[in-house]
Amino acid sequence: MQPLLPLLARGAVLSPFKRPRPDAAFPPHRLVLPGVRIDLARLAAYERACGFPTGGDALPLTYPHVLGFPLAMRIMASRAFPLPLLGLEHTSIEVTRLREAAATGEYELAVHVEGLAPHRRGTEATVVTGARVDGSLVWESRSTYLARHRTAADTRTAADASTAAGARTAAHVSSAEPKPLPVVAEWRLAGDVGRRYAAVSGDRNPIHLHPLTARLFGFPRAIAHGMWTVARCLAEQPTDASVHLRAEFRSPVLLPGTVTYAADGGRFELRSGERVHLTGELREHRANSA
């Protein structure tokens, strides 16, 4: 696994010089890494950290993201990527697995930026990662990353804001709220969850490692990796060989802490009281619905 600390450092140094906007130019190229084989000891450590059974023939649904993340970081830490790496938020991920990926397989990984889009809080980039076996796509993900900055919406007058708030309230009253998912389990998360996941994923972002480094970025304590939260939930979910996942990271999970895992059918969420940290849905993938 390629070391990520130098890329984090490079991205941090370049971040103050970035001026994010939805119409900015972004790297058009794909980064490709052929001949990737799985380190089975590292895979087993990842499975233990996330709660998956160990020793299976197939990779966990989220593991190809770990394999491709160094390529994604090379792009996002580069001078050509228009969003600052510091403060970049992973807001969602969609994964399509066309067939199970064998732990003993050999893969070609490819990553590219699909595009930029305006977001009510800034600019969002979509990064696509794919894994192929003998030229055939077996796994693909689309991750969105948000860079917060002032937008045109921030300049609205108070009257405009009040009108919009009233409209939202009316819409809220008239629409039926979805029923909360039933609670399945309560998890007490230790303070070292971020460090343990960093060791198996290579993602050593300081907001996940220690309260002191997390405070430098405005968090009262270290927070769990978003990809750990979705993997931990998926470890409790049966998954088909061909499956589609959609997950949204709604709010950070502070460490240590206690969260509830709720699920019904293919839908699942992680929350603390009324605060929702993660929502997700698994469904069968059909080739004509990709």
Side-chain angles (χ1 to χ4, degrees):
M1 182 180 295
Q2 179 181 353
L4 295 180
L5 280 177
L7 295 175
L8 281 169
R10 175 180 171 82
V13 169
L14 292 174
S15 287
F17 304 100
K18 303 292 183 73
R19 297 294 179 265
R21 64 181 196 277
D23 61 346
F26 57 88
H29 57 276
R30 296 166 72 243
L31 293 183
V32 179
L33 182 63
V36 176
R37 287 195 170 274
I38 311 302
D39 181 328
L40 296 181
R42 186 178 290 274
L43 171 62
Y46 172 88
E47 291 168 333
R48 287 191 295 269
C50 299
F52 292 108
T54 60
D57 294 332
L59 297 177
L61 182 60
T62 46
Y63 197 66
H65 172 87
V66 174
L67 298 176
F69 191 61
L71 291 180
M73 280 292 295
R74 279 179 57 187
I75 293 177
M76 292 189 290
S78 69
R79 192 178 299 275
F81 187 69
L83 307 186
L85 192 62
L86 282 183
L88 201 62
E89 300 175 26
H90 194 182
T91 51
S92 74
I93 186 169
E94 287 191 52
V95 173
T96 301
R97 184 170 69 188
L98 288 78
R99 59 182 173 89
E100 284 189 336
T104 54
E106 182 175 305
Y107 299 93
E108 178 188 90
L109 302 175
V111 177
H112 71 277
V113 179
E114 188 174 67
L116 304 179
H119 185 280
R120 68 184 185 280
R121 293 177 179 169
T123 297
E124 205 166 53
T126 299
V127 178
V128 179
T129 301
R132 295 178 180 271
V133 175
D134 296 328
S136 297
L137 186 69
V138 297
W139 184 98
E140 186 176 64
S141 73
R142 279 175 167 76
S143 282
T144 56
Y145 296 92
L146 172 65
R148 292 177 180 254
H149 59 83
R150 289 184 62 83
T151 67
D154 295 328
T155 63
R156 290 184 308 174
T157 64
D160 289 338
S162 177
T163 300
R168 287 195 298 270
T169 300
H172 175 79
V173 171
S174 64
S175 63
E177 287 289 328
K179 292 182 180 179
L181 297 177
V183 173
V184 176
E186 182 178 86
W187 297 332
R188 296 180 183 274
L189 307 182
D192 67 346
V193 164
R195 293 189 291 276
R196 287 193 285 118
Y197 185 78
V200 299
S201 68
D203 183 357
R204 290 182 170 83
N205 188 318
I207 62 176
H208 304 302
L209 303 181
H210 194 277
L212 292 178
T213 53
R215 286 180 196 134
L216 296 176
F217 297 90
F219 297 101
R221 304 196 297 277
I223 65 173
H225 295 72
M227 286 305 299
W228 178 86
T229 64
V230 71
R232 183 65 188 88
C233 290
L234 289 176
E236 304 296 321
Q237 288 272 338
T239 56
D240 297 323
S242 181
V243 69
H244 181 83
L245 163 72
R246 166 76 185 181
E248 295 187 5
F249 306 109
R250 305 280 293 275
S251 64
V253 175
L254 297 175
L255 300 172
T258 301
V259 294
T260 54
Y261 164 69
D264 184 20
R267 296 173 56 218
F268 59 90
E269 64 184 22
L270 204 62
R271 60 181 186 249
S272 301
E274 297 299 315
R275 188 177 192 187
V276 178
H277 301 292
L278 169 76
T279 60
E281 183 176 10
L282 276 171
R283 56 180 172 82
E284 182 185 358
H285 170 67
R286 294 183 175 88
N288 60 1
S289 64

